[in-house]
Structures are given as structure tokens and as C-alpha cells.
Amino acid sequence: MPVFTLQLTDIRGPMLPEVGGKAANLGELAGAGLPVPPGFCLTTDAYRRALSSSGLDDICAALESTSTVDLTGLNRLAGRARSLVLDAGVPADIAEAVRSAYEALGSNVPVAVRSSATAEDLPFASFAGQQDTFLNVVGADSVLDAVSRCWASLWTDRAVTYRATNGIEHAGAALAVVVQEMVDSTAAGVMFTANPVTGKRHETVIDASPGLGEAVVSGAVNPDQYVVDMAGGAIVKRTLGDRRVEIHAVPGGGTQRTQRSRNESPGDPEGARDAAVQPCLSDRQIKELAELGRLVERHYGAPQDTEWAMDPNGKLWLTQARPITTLYPQTTRTPQVPGIHAFLNFSLAQGLTRPLTPMGLAGIRLIASCVAKTAGFAVPDPRSGPSPYYEAGQRIFFDLTPVLRSRIGRKIVPRVFDVMEARSAMLMRSLFDDPRFSVTIKTPLKLIRHVAPVAAKYRVPESLLRGLFRPEAALERVERHSSELRKAIAVPGEATAHQRVTHMQRILGSELFATVPQILPLPALGFALLALVGRILGDQASYAELQTVIRGLPNNVTTEMDLALWQLASQIREDDDAAASMAGQTAEALLERYRDEGLPAIAQSGLDGFLRAYGHRAVAEIDLGMPRWGDDPTHILGVLANYLRLQPGAGAPDEQFRRAAEEAEEQVTKFIARARAISPLHAVVVRAALDRTRRFAGLRELPKYNLVLGLAVARQQLLLVGSELAASHRIERPEDIFFLDLDGVENALAGQDFREVIAQHRAAYEHELRRRHIPRVLLSDGTEPEATAAGDADPRPGTLSGSPASTGLVSAPARVIMDPVGAHLEPGEILVAPSTDPGWTPLFLTAGGLVMEMGGPNSHGAVVAREYGIPAVVGVPDATIRLRTGQRITVDGAAGTVSTEDPDG
């Protein structure tokens, strides 16, 4: 027999399916002995019983087939659902249960009737404010009416859209209703047991206002705010709000909203003006409230977003607690060395905003362990990664603390990031003045002790000298290294599953890193020699002119890849029948034809060849879990279809590249002439330096290209192991193996069923995919330095600032793209993206300009933009939020600014 009502004291957290998130949390608080107003819960069984024959199932089915961007369709269906719920009413047996529970509270006790949805106050989505609450409800009939309206609020437009956006099934959502005694509060509000803006876990933030907390929760009032440092118990910030809106309960039921003029203070007699606003909480009450928050957080083991009220006797009551879902997660392990630590987001430095799969992280840990061991660090367990390696939010972080404490580290690392990810460099420097990161390592001996073994093992000085004096031989040696790597990462076809796992560990843990010190010294030499030319010529070599030298570079594998795809599009376009058969088709349709070998011959064979050469590449390619283009060429077919719409001519990518190379050579000639005017020796040095720059700078893409080649081989081996595990029903499908780590794979091979674990890992991964805000630097106490630093003022309204990346000026419509797979970019549009890696670059060929949230002048996107001569600005904070698709913007690649024609847009 279904249970329709439960006392709050009988409810616990695991009962969420029966009582919803709000009731589960209130019951959990009450069970922990924390102050919660008495009350009861009308369960989800009552909701389902009342609406079992209402016709909601048909509406749920229609909602599931409606796109999340079709707000009109979602809202229309939501309105129909609300009507059905209200028409159904409250069945007699449920109404009797509600009356009985309400009367047990006392005679006509004022209560709050509050929605409690099963998809509410969850660890990954709070759903705060999505369903309705009715305050100061008096009388059983009024309570029943409020219950019906609470049920209907599960289908408000905002609730339906929120569920759709968060991927929660509508048919699975149900609503319970909490009925609690009202607190006739003299002050109320919300309290966060961690600072939700800065991320500081040791700060409690309290918003308070006189009267009922609804004024604060709904955002109707500018409340008082108090910040308490829980480490020392001090109130570190007080901000008094104007509190021009107060909401109070009125006798007989309902609430009254009082609106004050701007000059009228709370509590002033009628007509009084300009009196000083007094805090609505005393210091003692603030500290008592913060301590109550500490107890709540301690009970849950995680920071909480709470609602509270204080009655006329000064007693504090909790009316809600839920996880703070917007906080960025802290690192998954605690540093061995005590004290504050700073962690650098290495994922962002690689142009990767999305999380990595569990196996993707496992692969990076092996590579990082190999690097650390080569540099002479102790790595007890390579599968766990080296000691500086950390993970947070399924992204890669490294402990920056040793760099900040080192005099030489402070000089070198921020300069590297000036050209890789400029805002990260700025944040590093902002920590220099923090006494917690004061310099303790004053000599470079420790750095030398770890760099020297790597340089010696891979003969880096010899590579640099060869590059200087025998550049052709240096390039031949690079080709030989790449060929040797391909042989080293080969795996016998007859290998067993256990052997494949062993080979995967060998490739990532021993073989791949060598490509970095073997190749990277040459592009480093090329850029260093370009800087030398700048020093030699001084004012006669501007920044823009120096950048021209590194446009249209040879030996750049990423440029070669993009141009190969463009060349294929050109060949298809020259075949009228082939072009006509592919015109206007979606990437999905072209994929189906390709797999059926139904594309025109020139396209079928051309794509086969392209994927043989570059099929190991992918978007977010450092993640083993991401499909390679060879696995799923949908993205490439979409780009190819886009290329076919762009006519050949002066704006064609191959022509742009040829012209860029010519302009670079012309600039080289000019520099040599200017050097000759100084002396013949200067001319010789500048000629040789720029020759090496042109030869070697393009090689900067090759180490990552080779790393990704090894990752693709490792991925292929894991998929073969995954096929065996799927066949033995230990995982659902081969691709599920990427939601395990290596220990999990070995346990699965030993017979353990991981299907339920993988489902949990996938859910956590999907949650992180939806996260928009990713910190560049994270402190071990949860603080995000970027959030605490004062933001740089824009030069003028409507202008965003970043780092100059590729000179030029372009005005065109923006196209905001968060994921390049399946993305559509009209020729000439300005690409606005969070970051880019080589998987994005085919889009660059038709872009009129580039704006990126991440990166620096020498980050991947900036380099490729210069290659193609498109204006680019990188490191623009929140560009994907502050700019919108279709908005006309101007990118000034020299000034590092992005201007909008509609500043308010």
C-alpha cells in the first residue's frame, strides 16, 4: 500500500525517490539534530497516484522529442502539462491524508508549502527556484490548493527547460510536497558555507534581510552580506544592503510585500529619511549562524547552500540545505607538503576546456610519470602520476608552487606562458606578492639537476648545434626520429588482451616522451633566432614585421593536414558530377554514403587517403577516450562540405598560404638589407638566423603530432581489449573501456562486471561536460585567483581585450562554436571559441578571423591563424558568453581587441 505522508523526522537522504530533494535534505538535517521547523512530506507516490490517468505520459514523450533550443515548443507543451495537473486536483484519499497530517501540527497552524522534486537539490544540479513555494498558508483547504499548485509547478516553463538542458528525463521527474510550520522570522536569508564567487572553502557567505527569506531567495532585495573567515572566526567583510523590499507574514494567511523609496531606511518612522541603515544581524548572530553552517557542512562532508530564518526569540532555523553545485571541484588528492598550494590548469594550456575520460587521464598520468622519471624525480607508482600531477574536475593540473617559490622559476615559466596562455601568465605573476608563495629557492641548481639528465640523454646541445650549422642534417634527423617512433609503437597483431594493455603502458610510459626533447629544441632555436634578429635590428624590426616572418611556414604538419583537406575539396569541385552529388548534404548523410562506399570515386578515394595520413587526429586528441577521425570522420566530412561552398580564388586557403610564404620571404629580404646597412657581418647573421627560423619554427607542431600518433595506437589496442570485455558482458560496448582506468581494465579482464561503475563514470563525465567556467589557476583551499583579482577594464564600452595573436583587421558576423564536431561556419565569419587544438584547424581555412578565450601569441590557434593570415585575438575572458552568433564584431589582431557594434549585446 503506498505511503502518502511522512514526518520530516522519519526521512533520510537516500529516500530522494520517495520524497524529492528538498524533503530528503530537510529530513537529513532533522535526523542530525539540526534545527528544522516541524512538518511532514506528501510523497511522490501521491503525485503519481493523482496523475496516473491524466495524459501526462503523452506530453512527456513529446517533450523528449523536442529540441532543447526549441523554447517555443517546450513552453507550449509545459503549459498543456500544467493544465492537466490542475484539472486533476487532489484525490479524496490523498486529501484525507494531508488533512490528518496538517491537523497534527495544531489548529490552523501557518505553514509553508514547498515543492520537493526528485530532480532537485542534486549534487550536480540544484534546480534552485524551479518549482513553487507558498508561504503562510493557513487552513487545510488552503494547504490542499497549494499542493495542487506545487504539483503543477513541476511543469513551469523554466522547470521543463532546466530539465531538458541538464539531460534529465521528464517522465522520470516527480514531485513531493513539504508542509512545514512557518517561522515568523525577524531576519532570514541564505548562507553559503564556501564562497561561491571566489571558491574559498574557508569563507562562509551570509545574505540577510529583515522579514521572510523569500525576498533574498527571489532576488527582490539587495540584502546585507557578511563574510566570515571560518579559520579564525573573524567577520572579514560587511556590506549593508538598501533592503528596500521586505516580505512579512500577515495574520490569517498570505504575505505582504513592503517597498521602500530609495531614501527610506528599514525601521524608520513614516516620513523619516536618510537615517543610517543598521545591520539586521549582530556580530554574535553572524558567528552563530556561521557555526551552524559549519555543522551542516560537516554533516554532509561538502560545502552547502542553505536557507535560514531567525525567529523573534533569536533562535536560528534551517529551512533548506543543498550542495553548492557551481564550485569548481578541489584536487582529487591532497599535497604531501602541508600549506597552501597553487595548481595550474594544464588542460587549458593545451587548448582543452572539456574534461578527459578516466582512461584519458590514466594515459596522461603515464606520460607525465615518464617525463618525471627522465628528469630524475622519484615516481613510486606511474599509474598514479608524479607528485606534481593533480586532477580536478576531470582535468589536468600541475602543482605550480615550486615555480612560485623559485627565483629562476618565476623568471622562466611566466614568460613561456606569455606566448602559450597569456592570462595564466598574468595569474602566476599576481601570486608573486602573496607571502604564502614567497621565494625559498634562490639558485638554479635544483632546476639544472632535473633538466640536465633530459638534455644529456637526448643530446639536446648537439641538436641545437646541428640546427645552427647543419640545418639540412637536422631536418633529416627529425624525420629519422619520427620514423623510429612509428616502429617503436607498433604492436603485434596476435597479442593477447593482457599483452595489449602492457604494450599500451609501454607506449605511453616509455616511448612517446622522447619525441619532445628530440624535436622541440629545433623550433625553440627557430624562435630564439627570430628574437635575436629583433634585438639586432631594434627599432628597424617591429613586432608585426617579425610575425610576418613566421607566416606560411614549411614543415608544419597541421598546416599540411589542413591544406590536404582543402586540396581534396578542390579536386571534388573540379568534377562537376561529384560536386553536384555532394552539394547541400549533411555530414551525417555523407558519412553514411562514405561507409557504404557510395561517394563519388574522387571523394571516396581522396578521403581514404586523407584518413590514412591523418585519421589518428581528433578534437581533444590528447584524450584517449575521444574518437579519432579514422573512427568517426563526421567532423571531417562536415568541414569538407563547408569547403565545397567556398569558391577558389584570392581568398582560397592554398592561395592565402602561398601569398603568406611570399610575404615572409620578402620580409626576410628586407631584414637582411637593413642588417647590411649596419655591417656585412650583421647581414650574414640575420640571413642565417631567419633561414633557421623559417626551416624550424613550423616543427613546433610535430612533437604533439607524434604524441597523438602514439595515443591513437594505444587507443586502438584498448578498443580491441574493450571488444573482448563487451563480448564477455563485463562492459556494455567496446568504447566503455575508456570510462575505466588501467586497474579497472585489469580487474575486468579478471572477471569483474563494471557496467554499473561505467554508468556512474559516464554520468560524472557528462556533468563535467556541461561546466562552462574552468579556472586557469586553482589554490588548494579552493580559491580561484582569477575570481579574486580585479578585472581589467575594457578600453571602451563594447570592447573586449585579449592578447594580439595574428595581425590584421576584420569586421564580420561572429559564429560562437563550443565544439567543432558538426559545427557550421559560413565563409568569412569570425570564429569565436573557448580554445582550439589541431582538431579545430580545418575550420580556420574558411574563417575571416579568430577570437579565443584561452591561449597566448604562440598557442596553437594563434600560430595557425598567422599561417593563414587571419586576424586573431586570444585570451579574451568569457568571449563565448559575451559575444553571440550573428553579432557583427571587429577583430583587431594587432591591438588585441574585439569590438562589438552593439555594446549592449
Side-chain angles (χ1 to χ4, degrees):
M1 181 177 177
V3 176
F4 293 144
T5 61
L6 289 169
Q7 294 299 306
L8 288 181
T9 51
D10 294 331
I11 294 173
R12 295 294 180 269
M15 297 171 68
L16 185 143
E18 293 84 25
V19 299
K22 188 177 275 89
N25 286 333
L26 287 170
E28 189 70 25
L29 292 171
L34 294 165
V36 174
F40 65 92
C41 174
L42 184 64
T43 66
T44 54
D45 281 341
Y47 170 85
R48 294 190 177 96
R49 157 82 169 77
L51 302 173
S52 57
S53 58
S54 64
L56 267 181
D57 290 346
D58 294 338
I59 292 179
C60 289
L63 282 168
E64 298 297 347
S65 62
T66 302
S67 169
T68 56
V69 299
D70 182 8
L71 296 182
T72 301
L74 290 173
N75 292 347
R76 183 179 63 253
L77 290 166
R80 288 174 53 194
R82 289 195 299 275
S83 296
L84 287 177
V85 175
L86 291 172
D87 290 344
V90 181
D93 53 345
I94 296 174
E96 181 57 34
V98 171
R99 288 179 186 277
S100 176
Y102 173 69
E103 290 169 0
L105 294 174
S107 176
N108 284 336
V109 172
V111 293
V113 182
R114 311 167 72 193
S115 304
S116 180
T118 53
E120 177 182 60
D121 298 336
L122 305 177
F124 62 89
S126 73
F127 275 73
Q130 299 303 314
Q131 281 84 43
D132 288 344
T133 289
F134 301 94
L135 301 176
N136 201 35
V137 179
V138 179
D141 290 342
S142 297
V143 169
L144 289 171
D145 178 65
V147 164
S148 184
R149 287 190 284 163
C150 280
W151 284 346
S153 72
L154 185 64
W155 301 97
T156 60
D157 294 350
R158 64 183 184 273
V160 167
T161 302
Y162 198 92
R163 283 198 297 274
T165 303
N166 282 275
I168 296 173
E169 290 185 3
H170 299 283
L175 196 86
V177 179
V178 174
V179 179
Q180 272 182 295
E181 288 188 23
M182 276 290 296
V183 177
D184 185 15
S185 54
T186 57
V190 298
M191 171 172 57
F192 295 91
T193 67
N195 194 313
V197 176
T198 66
K200 292 181 179 179
R201 300 308 203 267
H202 59 82
E203 287 188 349
T204 292
V205 180
I206 299 168
D207 286 355
S209 188
L212 301 179
E214 177 66 15
V216 178
V217 174
S218 66
V221 68
N222 183 18
D224 291 359
Q225 185 175 89
Y226 312 100
V227 180
V228 182
D229 182 349
M230 299 304 292
I235 302 170
V236 296
K237 181 180 179 182
R238 288 182 183 83
T239 305
L240 301 187
D242 55 27
R243 307 197 308 256
R244 289 164 51 205
V245 174
E246 290 185 17
I247 300 175
H248 291 273
V250 296
T255 60
Q256 181 179 54
R257 180 187 179 108
T258 304
Q259 182 88 33
R260 291 185 173 82
S261 68
R262 188 173 299 276
N263 295 324
E264 186 179 353
S265 296
D268 286 347
E270 188 174 351
R273 294 290 184 268
D274 299 320
V277 176
Q278 297 299 314
C280 61
L281 293 177
S282 68
D283 284 5
R284 178 183 59 79
Q285 290 167 336
I286 293 168
K287 292 180 179 181
E288 286 180 0
L289 187 53
E291 183 58 33
L292 180 59
R294 189 205 297 268
L295 295 175
V296 176
E297 180 176 304
R298 184 179 298 163
H299 176 73
Y300 281 102
Q304 298 291 302
D305 166 6
T306 69
E307 296 175 21
W308 59 272
M310 184 173 66
D311 68 20
N313 296 320
K315 180 176 175 59
L316 294 170
W317 296 91
L318 292 167
T319 57
Q320 182 55 294
R322 52 182 166 252
I324 305 176
T325 58
T326 56
L327 285 175
Y328 193 81
Q330 292 183 277
T331 54
T332 53
R333 59 187 176 88
T334 303
Q336 294 180 350
V337 178
I340 193 76
H341 285 250
F343 304 105
L344 174 72
N345 192 328
F346 189 74
S347 287
L348 291 186
Q350 288 294 306
L352 189 63
T353 56
R354 64 187 294 147
L356 277 75
T357 59
M359 187 59 75
L361 290 169
I364 297 297
R365 289 197 293 271
L366 287 175
I367 295 172
S369 295
C370 178
V371 175
K373 284 190 293 184
T374 306
F377 290 96
V379 183
D381 178 16
R383 289 189 180 184
S384 298
S387 57
Y389 175 93
Y390 290 83
E391 294 168 8
Q394 299 181 34
R395 293 166 178 89
I396 308 163
F397 285 79
F398 278 93
D399 192 348
L400 191 63
T401 312
V403 170
L404 298 174
R405 294 192 177 282
S406 165
R407 185 171 290 166
I408 190 70
R410 287 187 173 200
K411 288 182 178 179
I412 295 175
V413 176
R415 291 181 182 178
V416 172
F417 275 82
D418 280 335
V419 295
M420 282 182 61
E421 219 294 303
R423 289 190 65 82
S424 293
M426 179 197 73
L427 290 170
M428 289 182 206
R429 293 188 175 98
S430 74
L431 295 173
F432 287 177
D433 295 330
D434 189 329
R436 297 175 298 176
F437 298 110
S438 58
V439 171
T440 57
I441 305 170
K442 299 182 179 180
T443 71
L445 293 178
K446 190 172 183 180
L447 175 67
I448 293 171
R449 191 162 64 245
H450 292 298
V451 171
V454 181
K457 180 175 181 178
Y458 295 105
R459 303 163 75 175
V460 171
E462 181 183 329
S463 295
L464 293 171
L465 290 171
R466 186 182 296 108
L468 272 175
F469 299 109
R470 299 175 57 210
E472 287 292 345
L475 288 174
E476 290 173 4
R477 193 172 185 86
V478 165
E479 183 57 40
R480 187 159 63 250
H481 285 319
S482 296
S483 177
E484 290 169 353
L485 176 66
R486 286 177 170 82
K487 293 177 183 176
I489 62 177
V491 176
E494 67 278 5
T496 66
H498 285 284
Q499 289 170 340
R500 293 186 193 282
V501 173
T502 301
H503 278 296
M504 176 263 189
Q505 291 183 91
R506 172 185 62 81
I507 291 169
L508 301 187
S510 303
E511 306 290 352
L512 277 190
F513 170 63
T515 193
V516 177
Q518 287 171 341
I519 295 173
L520 199 58
L522 290 179
L525 175 64
F527 283 107
L529 291 173
L530 182 65
L532 175 65
V533 170
R535 292 180 66 88
I536 290 173
L537 296 180
D539 294 341
Q540 297 184 67
S542 69
Y543 174 81
E545 288 177 320
L546 290 169
Q547 294 301 304
T548 299
V549 172
I550 51 177
R551 290 181 57 198
L553 289 170
N555 304 318
N556 185 321
V557 287
T558 301
T559 304
E560 292 167 358
M561 174 188 75
D562 295 340
L563 292 176
L565 191 59
W566 171 257
Q567 184 61 37
L568 174 57
S570 299
Q571 292 170 354
I572 295 171
R573 194 184 297 107
E574 291 170 1
D575 185 324
D576 293 340
D577 291 339
S581 75
M582 296 177 67
Q585 296 222 340
T586 65
E588 290 74 18
L590 291 173
L591 176 64
E592 187 174 346
R593 291 176 62 188
Y594 172 68
R595 287 180 169 162
D596 291 340
E597 298 187 356
L599 289 177
I602 184 68
Q604 190 76 32
S605 61
L607 190 57
D608 284 341
F610 178 86
L611 293 177
R612 277 195 300 273
Y614 302 108
H616 64 283
R617 307 222 73 167
V619 175
E621 58 193 359
I622 67 169
D623 184 355
L624 279 168
M626 293 299 290
R628 310 289 117 168
W629 290 341
D631 302 328
D632 181 4
T634 304
H635 174 49
I636 292 301
L637 285 163
V639 173
L640 188 61
N642 203 40
Y643 285 178
L644 291 174
R645 300 169 59 244
L646 188 65
Q647 295 304 311
D654 52 353
E655 178 60 26
Q656 288 181 355
F657 184 81
R658 185 191 63 77
R659 190 167 63 250
E662 289 177 353
E663 291 172 357
E665 294 299 340
E666 290 171 2
Q667 188 62 60
V668 168
T669 302
K670 291 177 183 177
F671 280 154
I672 294 171
R674 293 172 192 173
R676 188 175 292 112
I678 302 173
S679 78
L681 179 59
H682 282 80
V684 171
V685 171
V686 167
R687 182 192 300 275
L690 294 180
D691 171 77
R692 274 58 171 181
T693 296
R694 293 285 300 164
R695 287 177 189 264
F696 298 148
L699 292 173
R700 73 179 296 277
E701 295 288 309
L702 187 56
K704 185 174 183 181
Y705 180 91
N706 285 340
L707 286 171
V708 172
L709 189 65
L711 287 169
V713 173
R715 174 183 165 83
Q716 184 181 38
Q717 299 307 309
L718 288 168
L719 279 172
L720 292 170
V721 176
S723 295
E724 290 191 28
L725 292 175
S728 58
H729 306 294
R730 288 153 197 178
I731 63 178
E732 288 289 346
R733 48 191 181 275
E735 294 81 6
D736 284 350
I737 195 171
F738 299 112
F739 289 88
L740 296 174
D741 59 14
L742 288 168
D743 290 342
V745 170
E746 289 180 347
N747 288 333
L749 287 171
Q752 188 172 342
D753 186 339
F754 274 90
R755 286 175 290 189
E756 185 174 337
V757 171
I758 286 169
Q760 295 170 359
H761 289 176
R762 279 190 178 274
Y765 177 77
E766 292 293 333
H767 167 56
E768 281 300 326
L769 272 178
R770 293 192 292 269
R771 190 183 297 279
R772 290 295 298 275
H773 172 68
I774 315 296
R776 289 173 166 86
V777 175
L778 187 67
L779 302 191
S780 52
D781 67 355
T783 303
E784 297 181 27
E786 194 166 14
T788 59
D792 297 332
D794 291 334
R796 60 184 183 275
T799 300
L800 313 182
S801 295
S803 298
S806 180
T807 58
L809 188 71
V810 61
S811 296
R815 174 73 66 169
V816 179
I817 296 178
M818 303 303 294
D819 186 337
V821 178
H824 178 74
L825 183 72
E826 289 288 336
E829 286 184 326
I830 296 171
L831 172 61
V832 181
S835 63
T836 62
D837 64 9
W840 285 75
T841 56
L843 291 173
F844 286 26
L845 294 186
T846 56
L850 173 68
V851 178
M852 292 195 326
E853 292 180 333
M854 310 297 172
N858 256 1
S859 59
H860 174 82
V863 170
V864 177
R866 287 195 295 270
E867 292 279 353
Y868 299 142
I870 60 174
V873 178
V874 300
V876 182
D878 300 324
T880 60
I881 298 172
R882 300 168 72 180
L883 302 175
R884 64 177 185 273
T885 294
Q887 183 179 26
R888 191 167 182 83
I889 63 175
T890 298
V891 174
D892 187 335
T897 60
V898 182
S899 305
T900 62
E901 294 189 4
D902 176 13
D904 295 328

